[in-house]
Amino acid sequence: MSLITKQDGHLIVPENPTIPFIEGDGVGSEITPVCQQVVNAAVAKAYNGKRHIEWKEVLAGGKAFEQTGEWLPQATIDCFSNALVGIKGPLKTPVGGGIRSLNVALRQQLDLYVCQRPVRYFRGINSPVKHPERVNMCVFRENTEDIYAGIEWPAGSAEAERFGRFLREEMKVTKVRFPDTAAYGVKPVSREGSERLIRSAIDYALAHGRGIVTLVHKGNIMKFTEGGFKNWGYELAQREYAQELADGRLTVNDCICDAFLQNALLKPESYDVIATLNLNGDYISDMLAAQVGGIGIAPGANINYQSGHAIFEATHGIAPDIAGKDIVNPSSLLLSAVMMLEYIGWKEAAGLITRALEDNFTEGQATADLARFMEQGRTLGTQAFGDKLTEKINSYE
């Protein structure tokens, strides 16, 4: 294997890096081969055959359980850890206990504290809003704390009764209205976790010439968790980016999350890079995706900017109702692969894929989920859509 490494804060990428991939459950077996086909064509075209990706399959989800009896084998974690950069299709959630979510487990075990979701409009896509072209944001969603810590107890359990008793007797809490039937969840938000997320968002903004970072929170109600996130963000900016603030290259502001959801519809051009906690980020990223055409064209990545580890992923589910029908849209995984190529510095190949996608959409050629809303849209199957992208890439001068 030719592994990507990190030295002195920079990724060292060989000409033929090994990229581990998880095919995914449901529609994963359709979108993953198409994604690799298009990426291979773009890399070959951009670098005249001098670079290529060595794809290495690793197992997780239903396929892993069938072959190994485990939903997330340690060998998969180890491979992602050693290779630094990987990509995955959608995974089903195990039923009946054990791992709560395979996606969450991967993020937590590799400490992938940034969920990064860029959202932009592609010409030719039908949108429910008047000016989708005004949406161009990158969401940095904290990936390891808040609700993703998974600390909760069901109503009626011994743990919930014990926790409720602790609140009443030790912490003197009197505001639990129905203590006998209450379930409980704990929302941890730390200074360290908040700062590393916000620092990554600011660094990204500066590196990409996107000068406004907005801290989105609910600190007016949750004053010490969400409010702490906001306060720590401002303190970090003043402490570590005073010069950038002073010379106008960086602006840091904040917005209450419910106001942001409204503003993002009314004046999306006012926002650039968003830094937010987990639950807020979940709502925000899907809402923004809907404004530009839906989750089918929404890419995502889980990144630890300190260690260099990154897993890029389709942001939709396994869609068992359409699996095997050659109709699923591979664009989410393809655009996540674009993010991956940009992350490792192969921007020329990434640009070819983006160009081919937009050319296809502008011509009204797309999978059924998008083509049905396009004027004179032409529906292509999953593989045919990938073939058309490959053809376009190979035709570019």
Side-chain angles (χ1 to χ4, degrees):
M1 293 196 300
S2 300
L3 297 180
I4 297 171
T5 58
K6 189 172 185 181
Q7 298 178 15
D8 301 323
H10 301 284
L11 292 181
I12 308 300
V13 182
E15 298 289 272
N16 57 334
T18 298
I19 302 290
F21 72 94
I22 296 170
E23 180 182 72
D25 297 315
V27 296
S29 61
E30 297 170 84
I31 63 174
T32 295
V34 167
C35 175
Q36 291 175 341
Q37 171 189 322
V38 174
V39 169
N40 289 342
V43 170
K45 182 70 174 182
Y47 308 112
N48 297 314
K50 295 179 181 178
R51 292 178 177 175
H52 70 276
I53 291 173
E54 295 180 353
W55 301 101
K56 177 178 175 58
E57 184 174 10
V58 293
L59 299 177
K63 190 173 183 179
F65 190 75
E66 291 173 4
Q67 296 188 21
T68 70
E70 297 180 88
W71 289 97
L72 183 58
Q74 184 60 43
T76 296
I77 298 292
D78 292 342
C79 189
F80 277 129
S81 180
N82 292 332
L84 283 190
V85 177
I87 192 167
K88 57 176 283 296
L91 294 174
K92 67 189 296 186
T93 298
V95 177
I99 296 175
R100 178 183 297 238
S101 164
L102 294 171
N103 293 324
V104 173
L106 279 167
R107 295 164 188 166
Q108 290 180 339
Q109 292 198 43
L110 293 172
D111 196 23
L112 305 174
Y113 59 86
V114 171
C115 179
Q116 187 171 323
R117 296 279 295 272
V119 187
R120 55 150 291 188
Y121 175 68
F122 286 86
R123 292 190 309 275
I125 297 291
N126 185 278
S127 167
V129 298
K130 288 184 177 180
H131 293 289
E133 73 281 357
R134 295 177 183 173
V135 178
N136 188 1
M137 304 181 208
C138 190
V139 178
F140 279 67
R141 169 191 177 195
E142 207 291 319
N143 223 4
T144 62
E145 298 191 310
D146 195 8
I147 63 166
Y148 263 27
I151 306 172
E152 61 174 353
W153 302 281
S157 68
E159 293 84 359
E161 193 280 328
R162 186 185 310 164
F163 187 72
R165 188 169 61 249
F166 167 76
L167 290 178
R168 294 189 303 272
E169 297 176 2
E170 298 293 327
M171 303 302 291
K172 308 304 180 184
V173 172
T174 61
K175 296 180 180 179
V176 181
R177 189 171 297 274
F178 303 107
D180 293 338
T181 59
Y184 295 96
V186 177
K187 175 189 178 78
V189 177
S190 69
R191 176 188 287 271
E192 291 88 344
S194 299
E195 285 188 348
R196 67 180 185 173
L197 182 281
I198 295 165
R199 183 182 295 111
S200 296
I202 292 175
D203 288 343
Y204 176 91
L206 292 171
H208 292 81
R210 308 181 70 158
I212 302 174
V213 176
T214 302
L215 310 174
V216 178
H217 61 92
K218 191 63 177 173
N220 58 327
I221 301 299
M222 291 175 277
K223 298 182 185 299
F224 305 119
T225 51
E226 304 257 345
F229 177 86
K230 178 197 73 171
N231 294 336
W232 295 327
Y234 277 123
E235 291 170 9
L236 171 75
Q238 290 292 339
R239 186 176 68 246
E240 298 185 12
Y241 301 92
Q243 186 59 53
E244 290 84 355
L245 290 168
D247 64 22
R249 285 188 292 138
L250 174 67
T251 297
V252 176
N253 57 29
D254 74 278
C255 188
I256 303 297
C257 60
D258 44 331
F260 175 82
L261 291 172
Q262 177 179 237
N263 293 343
L265 282 168
L266 297 175
K267 50 178 184 178
E269 66 277 7
S270 299
Y271 298 104
D272 208 348
V273 176
I274 308 303
T276 191
L277 288 166
N278 188 272
L279 185 58
N280 298 333
D282 202 1
Y283 301 148
I284 288 168
S285 54
D286 281 11
M287 184 274 287
L288 291 175
Q291 288 182 235
V292 298
I295 200 73
I297 55 170
N302 304 286
I303 303 173
N304 184 319
Y305 277 100
Q306 297 170 343
S307 68
H309 288 98
I311 298 179
F312 300 82
E313 64 181 355
T315 58
H316 54 73
I318 65 173
D321 56 321
I322 62 171
K325 297 182 179 180
D326 191 40
I327 61 175
V328 62
N329 185 353
S331 298
S332 175
L333 191 61
L334 276 165
L335 287 167
S336 297
V338 167
M339 293 179 69
M340 181 186 75
L341 292 168
E342 291 173 342
Y343 183 72
I344 65 173
W346 292 11
K347 296 180 180 180
E348 298 83 1
L352 287 175
I353 298 174
T354 301
R355 178 183 173 186
L357 280 166
E358 191 145 43
D359 284 349
N360 252 15
F361 296 147
T362 302
E363 295 167 7
Q365 299 184 117
T367 48
D369 58 317
L370 299 178
R372 58 183 172 164
F373 298 116
M374 295 173 171
E375 187 175 345
Q376 298 181 331
R378 177 190 170 202
T379 297
L380 299 176
T382 306
Q383 185 59 58
F385 183 71
D387 291 342
K388 183 62 69 173
L389 292 173
T390 302
E391 178 184 323
K392 285 186 177 299
I393 289 168
N394 289 330
S395 71
Y396 294 145
E397 296 296 331

Short mmCIF file of all heavy atoms in Angstrom, two decimals, residues 301-357:
data_model
loop_
_atom_site.label_atom_id
_atom_site.label_comp_id
_atom_site.label_asym_id
_atom_site.label_seq_id
_atom_site.Cartn_x
_atom_site.Cartn_y
_atom_site.Cartn_z
N ALA A 301 -18.28 15.10 4.68
CA ALA A 301 -17.02 14.53 5.12
C ALA A 301 -16.95 14.59 6.63
O ALA A 301 -17.53 15.47 7.27
CB ALA A 301 -15.84 15.29 4.52
N ASN A 302 -16.23 13.64 7.21
CA ASN A 302 -15.93 13.62 8.63
C ASN A 302 -14.42 13.69 8.77
O ASN A 302 -13.70 12.81 8.29
CB ASN A 302 -16.46 12.34 9.27
CG ASN A 302 -17.95 12.15 9.02
OD1 ASN A 302 -18.77 12.83 9.62
ND2 ASN A 302 -18.29 11.25 8.12
N ILE A 303 -13.93 14.76 9.42
CA ILE A 303 -12.50 15.08 9.35
C ILE A 303 -11.96 15.40 10.73
O ILE A 303 -12.62 16.04 11.55
CB ILE A 303 -12.26 16.29 8.42
CG1 ILE A 303 -12.81 16.01 7.01
CG2 ILE A 303 -10.77 16.63 8.33
CD1 ILE A 303 -12.75 17.20 6.07
N ASN A 304 -10.73 14.96 10.98
CA ASN A 304 -9.94 15.43 12.11
C ASN A 304 -8.77 16.21 11.51
O ASN A 304 -7.82 15.62 10.99
CB ASN A 304 -9.43 14.25 12.95
CG ASN A 304 -8.67 14.70 14.18
OD1 ASN A 304 -7.88 15.63 14.14
ND2 ASN A 304 -8.89 14.00 15.29
N TYR A 305 -8.87 17.53 11.54
CA TYR A 305 -7.86 18.36 10.91
C TYR A 305 -6.53 18.33 11.66
O TYR A 305 -5.49 18.72 11.11
CB TYR A 305 -8.35 19.80 10.79
CG TYR A 305 -9.23 20.04 9.58
CD1 TYR A 305 -10.61 20.07 9.70
CD2 TYR A 305 -8.67 20.21 8.32
CE1 TYR A 305 -11.41 20.28 8.59
CE2 TYR A 305 -9.46 20.42 7.21
CZ TYR A 305 -10.84 20.46 7.34
OH TYR A 305 -11.64 20.66 6.23
N GLN A 306 -6.53 17.85 12.89
CA GLN A 306 -5.29 17.75 13.65
C GLN A 306 -4.48 16.52 13.24
O GLN A 306 -3.28 16.60 12.98
CB GLN A 306 -5.61 17.72 15.15
CG GLN A 306 -6.27 19.00 15.65
CD GLN A 306 -6.80 18.88 17.06
OE1 GLN A 306 -6.97 17.79 17.60
NE2 GLN A 306 -7.07 20.02 17.69
N SER A 307 -5.15 15.37 13.16
CA SER A 307 -4.45 14.12 12.81
C SER A 307 -4.39 13.90 11.30
O SER A 307 -3.55 13.14 10.82
CB SER A 307 -5.16 12.93 13.46
OG SER A 307 -6.44 12.72 12.88
N GLY A 308 -5.30 14.53 10.55
CA GLY A 308 -5.37 14.32 9.11
C GLY A 308 -6.38 13.28 8.69
O GLY A 308 -6.67 13.13 7.50
N HIS A 309 -6.94 12.52 9.64
CA HIS A 309 -7.90 11.48 9.30
C HIS A 309 -9.17 12.09 8.71
O HIS A 309 -9.68 13.10 9.21
CB HIS A 309 -8.26 10.65 10.53
CG HIS A 309 -7.16 9.75 10.99
ND1 HIS A 309 -6.31 10.08 12.01
CD2 HIS A 309 -6.76 8.54 10.53
CE1 HIS A 309 -5.44 9.11 12.19
NE2 HIS A 309 -5.67 8.16 11.30
N ALA A 310 -9.68 11.45 7.66
CA ALA A 310 -10.89 11.95 7.01
C ALA A 310 -11.61 10.80 6.32
O ALA A 310 -10.98 9.99 5.64
CB ALA A 310 -10.54 13.03 5.99
N ILE A 311 -12.92 10.73 6.53
CA ILE A 311 -13.76 9.78 5.80
C ILE A 311 -14.86 10.58 5.10
O ILE A 311 -15.64 11.29 5.75
CB ILE A 311 -14.39 8.72 6.73
CG1 ILE A 311 -13.29 7.88 7.40
CG2 ILE A 311 -15.32 7.81 5.94
CD1 ILE A 311 -13.83 6.83 8.35
N PHE A 312 -14.91 10.45 3.80
CA PHE A 312 -15.90 11.14 2.99
C PHE A 312 -17.05 10.18 2.72
O PHE A 312 -16.84 8.96 2.61
CB PHE A 312 -15.24 11.63 1.70
CG PHE A 312 -14.11 12.59 1.98
CD1 PHE A 312 -12.85 12.11 2.31
CD2 PHE A 312 -14.32 13.95 1.96
CE1 PHE A 312 -11.80 12.99 2.62
CE2 PHE A 312 -13.29 14.84 2.26
CZ PHE A 312 -12.04 14.35 2.60
N GLU A 313 -18.29 10.70 2.62
CA GLU A 313 -19.42 9.78 2.62
C GLU A 313 -20.62 10.33 1.87
O GLU A 313 -20.80 11.55 1.76
CB GLU A 313 -19.84 9.47 4.06
CG GLU A 313 -20.36 10.68 4.82
CD GLU A 313 -20.76 10.34 6.24
OE1 GLU A 313 -20.73 9.17 6.62
OE2 GLU A 313 -21.09 11.28 6.99
N ALA A 314 -21.43 9.41 1.37
CA ALA A 314 -22.77 9.78 0.91
C ALA A 314 -23.57 10.21 2.13
O ALA A 314 -23.51 9.57 3.17
CB ALA A 314 -23.43 8.59 0.22
N THR A 315 -24.34 11.29 1.99
CA THR A 315 -25.07 11.80 3.15
C THR A 315 -26.48 11.23 3.26
O THR A 315 -27.18 11.49 4.24
CB THR A 315 -25.15 13.33 3.09
OG1 THR A 315 -25.80 13.73 1.88
CG2 THR A 315 -23.77 13.95 3.14
N HIS A 316 -26.91 10.45 2.27
CA HIS A 316 -28.25 9.86 2.31
C HIS A 316 -28.18 8.46 2.90
O HIS A 316 -27.11 7.94 3.21
CB HIS A 316 -28.85 9.83 0.90
CG HIS A 316 -27.99 9.14 -0.11
ND1 HIS A 316 -27.82 7.77 -0.15
CD2 HIS A 316 -27.22 9.64 -1.12
CE1 HIS A 316 -27.01 7.46 -1.14
NE2 HIS A 316 -26.62 8.58 -1.74
N GLY A 317 -29.35 7.84 3.04
CA GLY A 317 -29.43 6.50 3.60
C GLY A 317 -29.29 5.41 2.55
O GLY A 317 -28.94 5.66 1.40
N ILE A 318 -29.60 4.18 2.98
CA ILE A 318 -29.38 3.01 2.12
C ILE A 318 -30.49 2.82 1.10
O ILE A 318 -30.32 2.05 0.15
CB ILE A 318 -29.20 1.73 2.95
CG1 ILE A 318 -30.48 1.39 3.72
CG2 ILE A 318 -28.03 1.90 3.92
CD1 ILE A 318 -30.42 0.03 4.42
N ALA A 319 -31.63 3.49 1.27
CA ALA A 319 -32.75 3.49 0.31
C ALA A 319 -33.09 2.08 -0.20
O ALA A 319 -33.02 1.81 -1.41
CB ALA A 319 -32.43 4.41 -0.87
N PRO A 320 -33.47 1.16 0.69
CA PRO A 320 -33.73 -0.21 0.25
C PRO A 320 -34.88 -0.33 -0.75
O PRO A 320 -34.92 -1.29 -1.53
CB PRO A 320 -34.07 -0.93 1.56
CG PRO A 320 -34.50 0.14 2.51
CD PRO A 320 -33.70 1.34 2.14
N ASP A 321 -35.79 0.66 -0.76
CA ASP A 321 -36.93 0.60 -1.67
C ASP A 321 -36.53 0.77 -3.13
O ASP A 321 -37.27 0.34 -4.04
CB ASP A 321 -37.97 1.65 -1.29
CG ASP A 321 -37.39 3.05 -1.25
OD1 ASP A 321 -36.24 3.21 -0.79
OD2 ASP A 321 -38.09 4.00 -1.66
N ILE A 322 -35.38 1.38 -3.39
CA ILE A 322 -34.95 1.56 -4.79
C ILE A 322 -33.66 0.82 -5.10
O ILE A 322 -33.16 0.89 -6.22
CB ILE A 322 -34.79 3.05 -5.15
CG1 ILE A 322 -33.71 3.71 -4.28
CG2 ILE A 322 -36.11 3.79 -5.00
CD1 ILE A 322 -33.36 5.12 -4.73
N ALA A 323 -33.12 0.10 -4.12
CA ALA A 323 -31.86 -0.62 -4.33
C ALA A 323 -32.01 -1.67 -5.43
O ALA A 323 -33.03 -2.36 -5.52
CB ALA A 323 -31.41 -1.29 -3.03
N GLY A 324 -31.00 -1.74 -6.29
CA GLY A 324 -30.99 -2.72 -7.36
C GLY A 324 -31.80 -2.35 -8.58
O GLY A 324 -31.90 -3.14 -9.53
N LYS A 325 -32.38 -1.16 -8.61
CA LYS A 325 -33.23 -0.75 -9.72
C LYS A 325 -32.53 0.18 -10.70
O LYS A 325 -33.16 0.65 -11.66
CB LYS A 325 -34.50 -0.08 -9.18
CG LYS A 325 -35.36 -1.01 -8.34
CD LYS A 325 -36.64 -0.32 -7.85
CE LYS A 325 -37.49 -1.26 -7.02
NZ LYS A 325 -38.73 -0.60 -6.53
N ASP A 326 -31.28 0.49 -10.48
CA ASP A 326 -30.49 1.35 -11.38
C ASP A 326 -31.14 2.73 -11.53
O ASP A 326 -31.16 3.30 -12.61
CB ASP A 326 -30.33 0.70 -12.75
CG ASP A 326 -29.30 1.42 -13.62
OD1 ASP A 326 -28.25 1.83 -13.08
OD2 ASP A 326 -29.55 1.57 -14.83
N ILE A 327 -31.65 3.27 -10.42
CA ILE A 327 -32.27 4.60 -10.50
C ILE A 327 -31.70 5.56 -9.45
O ILE A 327 -32.00 6.76 -9.49
CB ILE A 327 -33.80 4.54 -10.34
CG1 ILE A 327 -34.20 3.95 -8.98
CG2 ILE A 327 -34.43 3.76 -11.48
CD1 ILE A 327 -35.70 3.97 -8.73
N VAL A 328 -30.87 5.07 -8.54
CA VAL A 328 -30.37 5.93 -7.47
C VAL A 328 -29.40 6.98 -8.01
O VAL A 328 -28.65 6.73 -8.95
CB VAL A 328 -29.70 5.08 -6.36
CG1 VAL A 328 -28.50 4.33 -6.90
CG2 VAL A 328 -29.30 5.94 -5.17
N ASN A 329 -29.45 8.15 -7.42
CA ASN A 329 -28.57 9.25 -7.79
C ASN A 329 -27.21 9.08 -7.09
O ASN A 329 -27.14 9.10 -5.86
CB ASN A 329 -29.21 10.57 -7.37
CG ASN A 329 -28.44 11.79 -7.83
OD1 ASN A 329 -27.34 11.69 -8.36
ND2 ASN A 329 -29.00 12.96 -7.61
N PRO A 330 -26.11 8.95 -7.83
CA PRO A 330 -24.79 8.79 -7.20
C PRO A 330 -24.11 10.12 -6.87
O PRO A 330 -22.96 10.13 -6.44
CB PRO A 330 -24.00 8.04 -8.27
CG PRO A 330 -24.55 8.56 -9.56
CD PRO A 330 -26.03 8.81 -9.30
N SER A 331 -24.80 11.25 -7.06
CA SER A 331 -24.13 12.55 -6.98
C SER A 331 -23.64 12.89 -5.58
O SER A 331 -22.62 13.57 -5.43
CB SER A 331 -25.07 13.66 -7.47
OG SER A 331 -25.40 13.46 -8.82
N SER A 332 -24.35 12.46 -4.55
CA SER A 332 -23.88 12.75 -3.19
C SER A 332 -22.50 12.13 -2.97
O SER A 332 -21.58 12.80 -2.48
CB SER A 332 -24.87 12.22 -2.16
OG SER A 332 -24.37 12.40 -0.84
N LEU A 333 -22.36 10.86 -3.32
CA LEU A 333 -21.06 10.21 -3.14
C LEU A 333 -20.02 10.79 -4.09
O LEU A 333 -18.85 10.97 -3.71
CB LEU A 333 -21.19 8.70 -3.37
CG LEU A 333 -19.97 7.85 -2.97
CD1 LEU A 333 -19.66 8.00 -1.48
CD2 LEU A 333 -20.19 6.38 -3.32
N LEU A 334 -20.42 11.14 -5.31
CA LEU A 334 -19.48 11.74 -6.26
C LEU A 334 -18.96 13.08 -5.75
O LEU A 334 -17.75 13.37 -5.83
CB LEU A 334 -20.16 11.93 -7.61
CG LEU A 334 -20.18 10.73 -8.54
CD1 LEU A 334 -21.18 10.94 -9.66
CD2 LEU A 334 -18.79 10.47 -9.09
N LEU A 335 -19.85 13.91 -5.21
CA LEU A 335 -19.43 15.21 -4.71
C LEU A 335 -18.61 15.06 -3.43
O LEU A 335 -17.74 15.88 -3.14
CB LEU A 335 -20.64 16.11 -4.49
CG LEU A 335 -21.28 16.62 -5.78
CD1 LEU A 335 -22.64 17.23 -5.51
CD2 LEU A 335 -20.36 17.63 -6.47
N SER A 336 -18.87 14.00 -2.67
CA SER A 336 -18.02 13.71 -1.52
C SER A 336 -16.63 13.29 -1.99
O SER A 336 -15.62 13.64 -1.37
CB SER A 336 -18.65 12.61 -0.66
OG SER A 336 -19.89 13.05 -0.12
N ALA A 337 -16.57 12.57 -3.11
CA ALA A 337 -15.27 12.23 -3.70
C ALA A 337 -14.55 13.48 -4.19
O ALA A 337 -13.32 13.56 -4.12
CB ALA A 337 -15.46 11.23 -4.84
N VAL A 338 -15.31 14.46 -4.70
CA VAL A 338 -14.72 15.74 -5.07
C VAL A 338 -14.07 16.39 -3.85
O VAL A 338 -12.94 16.88 -3.91
CB VAL A 338 -15.79 16.67 -5.69
CG1 VAL A 338 -15.27 18.10 -5.79
CG2 VAL A 338 -16.21 16.17 -7.06
N MET A 339 -14.78 16.38 -2.73
CA MET A 339 -14.21 16.89 -1.48
C MET A 339 -12.93 16.14 -1.11
O MET A 339 -11.94 16.74 -0.67
CB MET A 339 -15.21 16.76 -0.34
CG MET A 339 -16.44 17.63 -0.43
SD MET A 339 -17.56 17.37 0.98
CE MET A 339 -16.57 18.08 2.32
N MET A 340 -12.95 14.83 -1.29
CA MET A 340 -11.78 14.01 -0.98
C MET A 340 -10.59 14.39 -1.85
O MET A 340 -9.46 14.55 -1.35
CB MET A 340 -12.12 12.52 -1.16
CG MET A 340 -10.96 11.57 -0.84
SD MET A 340 -11.36 9.85 -1.23
CE MET A 340 -11.24 9.89 -3.03
N LEU A 341 -10.83 14.56 -3.14
CA LEU A 341 -9.75 14.94 -4.05
C LEU A 341 -9.19 16.32 -3.70
O LEU A 341 -7.98 16.54 -3.73
CB LEU A 341 -10.25 14.91 -5.50
CG LEU A 341 -10.58 13.52 -6.05
CD1 LEU A 341 -11.34 13.64 -7.38
CD2 LEU A 341 -9.32 12.68 -6.24
N GLU A 342 -10.07 17.24 -3.34
CA GLU A 342 -9.61 18.56 -2.92
C GLU A 342 -8.81 18.46 -1.63
O GLU A 342 -7.80 19.16 -1.46
CB GLU A 342 -10.81 19.49 -2.74
CG GLU A 342 -11.50 19.85 -4.04
CD GLU A 342 -12.78 20.64 -3.85
OE1 GLU A 342 -13.33 20.62 -2.72
OE2 GLU A 342 -13.24 21.27 -4.82
N TYR A 343 -9.24 17.61 -0.73
CA TYR A 343 -8.57 17.45 0.56
C TYR A 343 -7.13 16.96 0.38
O TYR A 343 -6.22 17.40 1.10
CB TYR A 343 -9.36 16.47 1.43
CG TYR A 343 -8.82 16.26 2.82
CD1 TYR A 343 -8.93 17.25 3.79
CD2 TYR A 343 -8.20 15.06 3.17
CE1 TYR A 343 -8.43 17.06 5.07
CE2 TYR A 343 -7.71 14.86 4.45
CZ TYR A 343 -7.83 15.86 5.39
OH TYR A 343 -7.33 15.66 6.67
N ILE A 344 -6.92 16.05 -0.58
CA ILE A 344 -5.56 15.53 -0.79
C ILE A 344 -4.77 16.38 -1.78
O ILE A 344 -3.64 16.04 -2.15
CB ILE A 344 -5.58 14.05 -1.25
CG1 ILE A 344 -6.21 13.88 -2.62
CG2 ILE A 344 -6.28 13.18 -0.21
CD1 ILE A 344 -6.11 12.46 -3.19
N GLY A 345 -5.36 17.49 -2.24
CA GLY A 345 -4.63 18.41 -3.11
C GLY A 345 -4.77 18.14 -4.59
O GLY A 345 -4.10 18.81 -5.39
N TRP A 346 -5.63 17.21 -4.98
CA TRP A 346 -5.82 16.90 -6.39
C TRP A 346 -7.00 17.71 -6.94
O TRP A 346 -8.02 17.18 -7.38
CB TRP A 346 -6.06 15.40 -6.57
CG TRP A 346 -4.82 14.57 -6.26
CD1 TRP A 346 -3.66 14.99 -5.66
CD2 TRP A 346 -4.63 13.18 -6.54
NE1 TRP A 346 -2.76 13.96 -5.55
CE2 TRP A 346 -3.32 12.83 -6.08
CE3 TRP A 346 -5.42 12.20 -7.12
CZ2 TRP A 346 -2.82 11.54 -6.19
CZ3 TRP A 346 -4.92 10.90 -7.23
CH2 TRP A 346 -3.62 10.58 -6.78
N LYS A 347 -6.85 19.01 -6.94
CA LYS A 347 -7.95 19.92 -7.27
C LYS A 347 -8.32 19.87 -8.75
O LYS A 347 -9.48 20.12 -9.12
CB LYS A 347 -7.59 21.33 -6.85
CG LYS A 347 -7.40 21.47 -5.34
CD LYS A 347 -7.05 22.89 -4.95
CE LYS A 347 -6.87 23.00 -3.44
NZ LYS A 347 -6.52 24.37 -3.00
N GLU A 348 -7.35 19.56 -9.60
CA GLU A 348 -7.65 19.51 -11.04
C GLU A 348 -8.64 18.38 -11.34
O GLU A 348 -9.59 18.57 -12.12
CB GLU A 348 -6.36 19.30 -11.84
CG GLU A 348 -5.35 20.43 -11.70
CD GLU A 348 -4.48 20.30 -10.45
OE1 GLU A 348 -4.64 19.32 -9.68
OE2 GLU A 348 -3.62 21.20 -10.25
N ALA A 349 -8.43 17.22 -10.74
CA ALA A 349 -9.35 16.10 -10.93
C ALA A 349 -10.72 16.42 -10.34
O ALA A 349 -11.75 16.11 -10.93
CB ALA A 349 -8.78 14.83 -10.31
N ALA A 350 -10.72 17.04 -9.17
CA ALA A 350 -11.98 17.43 -8.55
C ALA A 350 -12.76 18.38 -9.45
O ALA A 350 -13.98 18.24 -9.62
CB ALA A 350 -11.70 18.09 -7.20
N GLY A 351 -12.07 19.33 -10.06
CA GLY A 351 -12.72 20.29 -10.93
C GLY A 351 -13.35 19.66 -12.15
O GLY A 351 -14.41 20.11 -12.62
N LEU A 352 -12.73 18.62 -12.68
CA LEU A 352 -13.30 17.94 -13.84
C LEU A 352 -14.63 17.28 -13.51
O LEU A 352 -15.58 17.32 -14.31
CB LEU A 352 -12.31 16.89 -14.37
CG LEU A 352 -11.07 17.41 -15.09
CD1 LEU A 352 -10.14 16.26 -15.44
CD2 LEU A 352 -11.46 18.18 -16.36
N ILE A 353 -14.72 16.67 -12.33
CA ILE A 353 -15.98 16.02 -11.93
C ILE A 353 -17.07 17.06 -11.73
O ILE A 353 -18.20 16.90 -12.20
CB ILE A 353 -15.77 15.19 -10.65
CG1 ILE A 353 -14.75 14.07 -10.90
CG2 ILE A 353 -17.10 14.58 -10.19
CD1 ILE A 353 -14.37 13.29 -9.66
N THR A 354 -16.73 18.14 -11.05
CA THR A 354 -17.71 19.20 -10.83
C THR A 354 -18.20 19.78 -12.15
O THR A 354 -19.40 20.01 -12.35
CB THR A 354 -17.10 20.32 -9.97
OG1 THR A 354 -16.67 19.77 -8.72
CG2 THR A 354 -18.11 21.42 -9.70
N ARG A 355 -17.28 19.99 -13.08
CA ARG A 355 -17.65 20.54 -14.39
C ARG A 355 -18.57 19.58 -15.14
O ARG A 355 -19.58 20.00 -15.73
CB ARG A 355 -16.38 20.79 -15.21
CG ARG A 355 -16.62 21.30 -16.61
CD ARG A 355 -15.29 21.46 -17.35
NE ARG A 355 -15.49 21.78 -18.76
CZ ARG A 355 -14.51 21.86 -19.65
NH1 ARG A 355 -13.25 21.64 -19.27
NH2 ARG A 355 -14.78 22.14 -20.92
N ALA A 356 -18.25 18.29 -15.10
CA ALA A 356 -19.07 17.31 -15.82
C ALA A 356 -20.46 17.21 -15.21
O ALA A 356 -21.46 17.10 -15.94
CB ALA A 356 -18.38 15.95 -15.79
N LEU A 357 -20.56 17.25 -13.89
CA LEU A 357 -21.87 17.22 -13.24
C LEU A 357 -22.71 18.42 -13.67
O LEU A 357 -23.88 18.26 -14.05
CB LEU A 357 -21.70 17.21 -11.72
CG LEU A 357 -21.37 15.87 -11.07
CD1 LEU A 357 -20.90 16.07 -9.63
CD2 LEU A 357 -22.58 14.93 -11.10
#
